[in-house]
Amino acid sequence: MSLYERIGGEPAVDAAVDIFYRKVLADDRISHFFDTVDMDTQAAKQKAFLTMVFGGPNHYSGKDLRDGHKHMALNDIHFDAVIENLAATLKELGVGDGDINEIAAIANSVKDDVLNR
Amino acid sequence: MIEIKFGDQTVPVDAGESVLDSFLRNGIDLPYGCRGGACQSCMLVAEEGEIPPAAQVGLKTTQKQLGYFLSCQCIPQSPLQVRLAEQAGQIQESKVLERDEIAPNILRLRLQPVLSYQPGQYLNIWHQKSADSPQFIRSYSIASVPELDNFIELHIKIIEGGVFSQWAKNELSVGDTLRLQGPIGECFYVTEQPEQPLLLIGIGTGLAPLFGIVRDALQKGHTGPVHLVIAAREKQGFYMQGALENLSRDYPQLDMTYVCQTSNGEIDEISSFAPIQGDIYAYIKTRFPSTKGMRVYLCGAASFVRKMKKQVFLSGTGMRDIHADAFLPCS
């Protein structure tokens, strides 16, 4: 069974989006990046992101990630904040530590693209 | 091979191919993003035919009801007739049945019900002063309920310099014809979880769609509590108190509050029908510290909808339980 199936597939992603997005908006380190974005559009993007890190079907490419984050002047603090919120979301949903580590590793694999390094 | 009708074009779809892929292959330029059913930018509407369930995964119930689907996830099993998601349909002529200035700056129009709609959706009025003047399109939300009213009701806010509202105020008479297009929008009541508490918050003529949605929910047998909160900048901005008072007398589950956003930020609750003085955001925060499990409807100025949407999301409402009709400014 794949990681994505183990987590619970699309319904699990749906459940995770609200929790994750709420944590991100409440996190002073990164919340200001979301002040001017449309919430529905952003929720759809978060869903695509979570699908990707859960190992589900996605079409994320390194180039998209670079282009999408280029203007934001992001650094390690911002990236780590997202990873922390992601891990806390998964814990809240009862995902096991092994799977959380696997997911964090997938997220970390795109770090250089997101930070445009 | 299955064929998809799109305007006057017929597009052949290969076995196992998605609608999006077949359109792109045949040179029809559709917007798209992730191709994975997540970003929803390739959304289309099916006017006829059966939508495979996989093509509606992740959409709001209201969108599903209206036939919206994601073209990248749609591998059709039978012919479909589709259109772009933002096209609003044919223009229809409708006569003005009644016009009343129900408040200092609000004109209520009642029109022939020439189209079917859900209360809370909006329609476009195509307005041209005379044959050689430019054409303007203005959107108004629908306050009536088809099962209860034999007219379409709109609340027109009279704006200084407003292209349509000034004309409607000064020149439009009963018996005149308006050109309508629609309905559009996903902010309406759906009959699911009738016990779920509803929280409806509106500013100014945001009351129009909410008046439709509330009456629709009640006449469809919603059993949960219904909290309607109406805000206005000043006391003169409230209207239709009589109709609302009657409604809450008929339905004890309806709880009505007026919030008057005048200068001081204090919250001073007098009674449910005298306006509370204060800031709408602070009032909602104090009155509903947790909105978890509630279905929320937000109608009014775009800035208000945006801010309140974030607030109720952070206080616990799920993204899919937030329905909004944001009024965009235009003169």
Side-chain angles (χ1 to χ4, degrees):
Chain A
M1 203 192 271
S2 73
L3 172 68
Y4 184 66
E5 287 165 335
R6 224 159 48 233
I7 300 279
E10 209 257 339
V13 180
D14 269 347
V17 170
D18 272 9
I19 299 172
F20 176 66
Y21 192 11
R22 220 170 260 136
K23 287 189 192 300
V24 165
L25 284 179
D27 187 331
D28 291 341
R29 292 173 294 182
I30 47 177
S31 63
H32 58 281
F33 291 118
F34 302 92
D35 282 348
T36 55
V37 299
D38 175 72
M39 283 185 71
D40 291 302
T41 311
Q42 190 57 33
K45 283 185 186 166
Q46 309 240 359
K47 189 171 168 183
F49 167 70
L50 291 174
T51 305
M52 190 265 294
V53 298
F54 290 1
N58 71 88
H59 299 270
Y60 259 72
S61 74
K63 190 178 172 299
D64 293 340
L65 289 172
R66 283 181 178 272
D67 292 348
H69 296 95
K70 203 181 270 171
H71 61 289
M72 296 168 73
L74 299 174
N75 61 38
D76 284 293
I77 295 172
H78 305 128
F79 190 86
D80 293 345
V82 169
I83 301 291
E84 272 175 43
N85 287 312
L86 175 61
T89 300
L90 295 167
K91 240 191 161 59
E92 207 169 310
L93 288 167
V95 177
D97 286 345
D99 285 341
I100 294 181
N101 289 337
E102 201 177 321
I103 290 164
I106 298 176
N108 272 309
S109 72
V110 299
K111 185 170 180 173
D112 286 350
D113 285 328
V114 170
L115 299 182
N116 276 274
R117 283 178 178 159
Chain B
M1 189 169 51
I2 290 157
E3 291 186 331
I4 308 288
K5 286 208 158 58
F6 177 65
D8 51 11
Q9 288 167 285
T10 301
V11 188
V13 186
D14 287 343
E17 192 182 29
S18 73
V19 171
L20 176 64
D21 286 338
S22 78
F23 274 41
L24 297 175
R25 184 168 56 79
N26 285 285
I28 300 171
D29 206 10
L30 283 187
Y32 67 92
C34 73
R35 299 182 113 163
C39 76
Q40 303 192 352
S41 66
C42 66
M43 195 139 70
L44 293 174
V45 182
E47 293 180 314
E48 270 173 49
E50 205 173 316
I51 307 165
Q56 290 188 313
V57 170
L59 299 187
K60 293 183 181 179
T61 314
T62 49
Q63 292 175 317
K64 290 181 187 173
Q65 272 193 359
L66 293 169
Y68 282 63
F69 69 96
L70 303 174
S71 62
C72 72
Q73 300 299 299
C74 181
I75 296 168
Q77 307 300 318
S78 52
L80 290 172
Q81 183 164 335
V82 305
R83 61 173 170 84
L84 294 175
E86 62 278 3
Q87 293 171 353
Q90 297 291 312
I91 293 173
Q92 312 206 45
E93 297 202 330
S94 167
K95 278 201 164 49
V96 178
L97 303 173
E98 289 176 49
R99 68 179 298 291
D100 294 288
E101 291 186 36
I102 53 171
N105 281 313
I106 293 160
L107 178 68
R108 183 181 68 192
L109 296 182
R110 288 179 166 172
L111 313 173
Q112 278 179 323
V114 291
L115 42 88
S116 56
Y117 62 92
Q118 305 278 351
Q121 286 190 292
Y122 56 96
L123 47 79
N124 294 331
I125 298 182
W126 289 56
H127 169 61
Q128 199 172 14
K129 224 173 154 182
S130 58
D132 53 352
S133 47
Q135 184 150 260
F136 295 93
I137 301 168
R138 291 291 176 270
S139 302
Y140 291 99
S141 300
I142 306 173
S144 47
V145 177
E147 289 88 344
L148 303 176
D149 305 316
N150 49 8
F151 47 78
I152 288 174
E153 178 168 318
L154 309 176
H155 300 165
I156 314 294
K157 184 178 173 190
I158 313 286
I159 298 167
E160 209 176 311
V163 169
F164 176 75
S165 65
Q166 288 296 332
W167 175 82
K169 181 185 169 166
N170 298 317
E171 297 178 42
L172 182 67
S173 324
V174 169
D176 287 354
T177 299
L178 290 175
R179 296 162 70 217
L180 311 182
Q181 183 192 35
I184 322 163
E186 292 134 31
C187 184
F188 55 78
Y189 180 78
V190 286
T191 319
E192 58 172 27
Q193 291 186 269
E195 72 293 341
Q196 187 177 27
L198 304 185
L199 172 59
L200 307 100
I201 315 170
I203 279 198
T205 48
L207 176 57
L210 293 183
F211 186 61
I213 293 164
V214 165
R215 290 198 308 149
D216 194 32
L218 294 170
Q219 67 111 7
K220 283 182 172 147
H222 194 84
T223 55
V226 179
H227 305 282
L228 175 61
V229 183
I230 299 300
R233 206 167 296 146
E234 50 209 359
K235 228 172 170 177
Q236 294 75 18
F238 297 106
Y239 64 102
M240 280 200 334
Q241 288 97 317
L244 291 167
E245 217 163 315
N246 289 340
L247 197 61
S248 76
R249 205 171 295 132
D250 293 344
Y251 294 96
Q253 83 211 81
L254 174 63
D255 148 64
M256 286 272 322
T257 314
Y258 298 102
V259 177
C260 187
Q261 307 221 84
T262 34
S263 52
N264 74 53
E266 295 293 302
I267 296 169
D268 174 23
E269 196 155 353
I270 309 157
S271 86
S272 65
F273 278 99
I276 292 162
Q277 301 282 311
D279 170 73
I280 182 68
Y281 307 100
Y283 174 74
I284 294 296
K285 203 170 268 176
T286 312
R287 173 86 192 277
F288 305 98
S290 167
T291 54
K292 197 173 178 184
M294 290 180 134
R295 200 190 310 172
V296 176
Y297 292 87
L298 306 172
C299 302
S303 56
F304 155 78
V305 166
R306 181 192 193 86
K307 194 170 168 188
M308 194 57 92
K309 197 186 232 184
K310 187 170 172 182
Q311 185 177 320
V312 296
F313 175 66
L314 287 175
S315 66
T317 311
M319 272 302 280
R320 265 192 224 158
D321 275 328
I322 305 177
H323 305 270
D325 182 9
F327 297 178
L328 302 171
C330 40
S331 61

